[in-house]
């Protein structure tokens, strides 16, 4: 993939969004999170989304202007109605506010309803871990239903990602997992390409396991919860947790949605200050030991490399992107180029092919 200078790519993405109808502060936050997604290897949640975001700005399903509504604010906890503003901006703003308050409260939680798409959750966590804080983020989409409860066949839930970031004295531990085996974006991409899942990650409309993503996108099937046909009760339980944290605490969710409609995500964010407990030094003593114990573990025969800690791959790819340029797929560049021509935005030049 061609690689681009990060600053040039950020400026390009920000300008595209501004010309597409997004206010400057929101465009800056969204560009940063999208580019960060590509930097850490979350290509499905990086600039690949730009085409969709610009279409949403044009049709009004993404609100590029204005502010959120404060529903409740009690210091250590607050609730916003996002008014379909950019998810990247809303999440960034909420995390910043939580980090500002956590020094007074030790733990701060925030719930957001009616947010537009929130991008890759891993793209936010370094904001907190770099300050020695723990962060938890989870997101669901009550406007959609793509995952059946374990043992059922009718979709009720969405993939419901849950992410947590933990500081160490070195690279952070960054956990970002979905409650379903795969994601909506990956399913749609594979279906469009005519590809199959590596294993039976979906269910047909009749409830039979399948490796064909088109059974989900075209024929009324569902994605399976994490654990699949044998152990899917685990992913199902996790999906319920995410649904209720974001929707229950924000006061709006599936109970208020008569049928699936335009995207309107719900999010829960929690920031924890280790200094309110045994102290940051005590915490990193444990996180350092645990990370090293995992990385130094003898690899299994099927593992072609060393044992990794969640976040290691993202850290490595991010360092490469800062050093060698941010990789962006040619298809994504081509789609953005069409918007760039329409909006009069010059394309950035690649550093290398």
């Amino acid at each position: 993939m061609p690689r681009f200078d990060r600053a040039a790519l950020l400026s390009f993405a920000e300008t595209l969004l501004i010309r597409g109808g997004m206010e400057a502060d929101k465009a800056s936050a969204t560009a940063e999170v999208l580019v960060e997604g590509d930097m850490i290897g979350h290509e499905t949640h990086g600039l690949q989304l730009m085409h969709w975001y610009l279409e949403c700005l044009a049709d009004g399903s993404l609100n590029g202007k204005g502010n959120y509504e404060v529903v409740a604010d009690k210091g250590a906890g607050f609730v916003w109605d996002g008014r379909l503003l950019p998810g990247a901006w809303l999440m960034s703003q909420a995390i910043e506010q939580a980090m500002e308050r956590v020094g007074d409260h030790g733990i701060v939680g925030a719930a957001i309803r009616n947010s537009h798409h929130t991008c890759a959750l891993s793209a936010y966590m370094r904001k907190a871990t770099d300050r020695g804080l723990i962060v938890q983020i989870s997101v669901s989409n009550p406007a959609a239903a793509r995952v059946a409860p374990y043992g059922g066949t009718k979709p009720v839930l969405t993939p419901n990602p849950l992410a947590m970031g933990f500081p160490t004295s070195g690279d952070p531990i960054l956990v970002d997992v979905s409650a379903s085996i795969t994601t909506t974006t990956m399913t749609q991409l594979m279906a469009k390409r005519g590809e199959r899942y590596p294993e039976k990650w979906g269910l047909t409309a009749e409830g039979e396991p399948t490796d064909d993503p088109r059974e989900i996108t075209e024929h009324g099937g569902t994605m399976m919860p994490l654990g699949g046909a044998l152990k899917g009760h685990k992913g199902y339980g996790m999906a319920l947790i995410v649904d209720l944290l974001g929707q229950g605490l924000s006061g709006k969710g599936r109970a208020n949605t008569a049928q699936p409609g335009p995207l309107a995500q719900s999010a829960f964010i929690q920031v924890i200050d280790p200094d309110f407990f045994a102290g940051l030094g005590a915490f990193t003593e444990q996180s350092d030991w645990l990370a090293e114990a995992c990385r130094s573990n003898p690899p299994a025969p099927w593992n072609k490399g060393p044992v990794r800690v969640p976040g290691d791959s993202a850290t490595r790819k991010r360092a490469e992107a800062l050093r060698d340029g941010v990789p962006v797929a040619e298809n994504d560049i081509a789609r953005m180029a069409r918007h760039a021509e329409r909006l009069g935005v010059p394309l950035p030049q690649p550093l290398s092919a």
Side-chain angles (χ1 to χ4, degrees):
M1 289 191 290
R3 289 179 175 268
F4 297 82
D5 175 74
R6 178 177 180 270
L9 206 56
L10 283 171
S11 177
F12 169 68
E14 183 177 342
T15 305
L16 267 184
L17 291 166
I18 291 173
R19 298 277 178 90
M22 192 178 288
E23 289 177 333
D25 60 335
K26 297 165 183 64
S28 177
T30 302
E32 180 182 352
V33 174
L34 290 177
V35 171
E36 183 74 11
D38 282 315
M39 290 177 67
I40 62 178
H42 286 242
E43 295 90 353
T44 59
H45 287 65
L47 287 169
Q48 188 265 343
L49 294 168
M50 178 64 79
H51 172 74
W52 176 45
Y53 282 13
L54 290 170
E55 287 187 334
C56 290
L57 281 168
D59 67 24
S61 58
L62 168 55
N63 179 12
K65 298 179 180 179
N67 205 353
Y68 51 80
E69 175 191 348
V70 178
V71 177
D73 191 339
K74 299 178 182 178
F78 55 94
V79 179
W80 295 346
D81 189 307
R83 298 181 51 249
L84 292 178
L85 289 160
W89 179 76
L90 288 167
M91 295 283 275
S92 298
Q93 291 283 306
I95 291 169
E96 286 294 334
Q97 284 206 26
M99 291 192 297
E100 289 172 6
R101 302 180 186 201
V102 78
D104 294 327
H105 301 286
I107 300 176
V108 175
I112 305 174
R113 66 196 196 197
N114 291 330
S115 167
H116 200 269
H117 190 257
T118 50
C119 310
L121 302 189
S122 291
Y124 301 95
M125 294 193 289
R126 287 177 182 272
K127 296 175 183 291
T129 59
D130 284 352
R131 300 191 198 184
L133 302 172
I134 299 165
V135 62
Q136 174 185 335
I137 311 170
S138 58
V139 175
S140 62
N141 181 10
R146 300 190 180 98
V147 180
Y150 183 65
T153 58
K154 181 181 178 181
V156 174
L157 305 158
T158 40
N160 289 11
L162 171 66
M164 290 197 74
F166 300 95
T168 73
S169 61
D171 296 324
I173 298 170
L174 306 174
V175 180
D176 186 354
V177 294
S178 290
S180 59
I181 297 177
T182 187
T183 66
T184 300
T185 304
M186 182 60 71
T187 296
Q188 291 169 340
L189 285 174
M190 294 183 75
K192 185 177 180 180
R193 295 169 181 166
E195 300 172 350
R196 289 184 174 267
Y197 294 135
E199 298 174 350
K200 293 182 177 181
W201 290 353
L203 292 175
T204 65
E206 295 73 35
E208 294 296 328
T210 180
D211 65 354
D212 187 353
R214 287 168 296 187
E215 289 290 340
I216 290 87
T217 60
E218 300 174 19
H219 304 300
T222 70
M223 294 180 285
M224 276 202 278
L226 194 64
L230 294 178
K231 299 292 183 182
H233 61 281
K234 298 184 179 182
Y236 171 37
M238 178 178 158
L240 293 175
I241 292 169
V242 172
D243 247 41
L244 292 171
L245 284 174
Q247 297 170 38
L249 295 179
S250 73
K252 188 171 183 181
R254 299 190 195 280
N256 312 106
T257 306
Q259 58 187 10
L263 181 142
Q265 292 189 326
S266 300
F268 176 70
I269 299 158
Q270 187 176 60
V271 175
I272 303 171
D273 186 352
D275 276 336
F276 266 71
F277 297 85
L280 178 60
F283 184 88
T284 56
E285 179 184 14
Q286 300 302 320
S287 60
D288 287 353
W289 186 96
L290 188 59
E292 177 55 28
C294 292
R295 292 188 182 109
S296 63
N297 201 276
W302 51 264
N303 186 3
K304 303 306 180 183
V307 176
R308 296 185 305 187
V309 168
D312 283 356
S313 178
T315 295
R316 175 181 58 79
K317 290 177 180 178
R318 191 175 193 277
E320 289 175 357
L322 289 172
R323 184 184 67 239
D324 303 328
V326 182
V328 183
E330 291 182 356
N331 286 344
D332 298 335
I333 291 294
R335 290 203 300 176
M336 286 190 290
R338 292 194 288 272
H339 288 287
E341 182 178 7
R342 174 176 62 86
L343 297 169
V345 181
L347 285 169
Q349 294 302 307
L351 298 173
S352 63

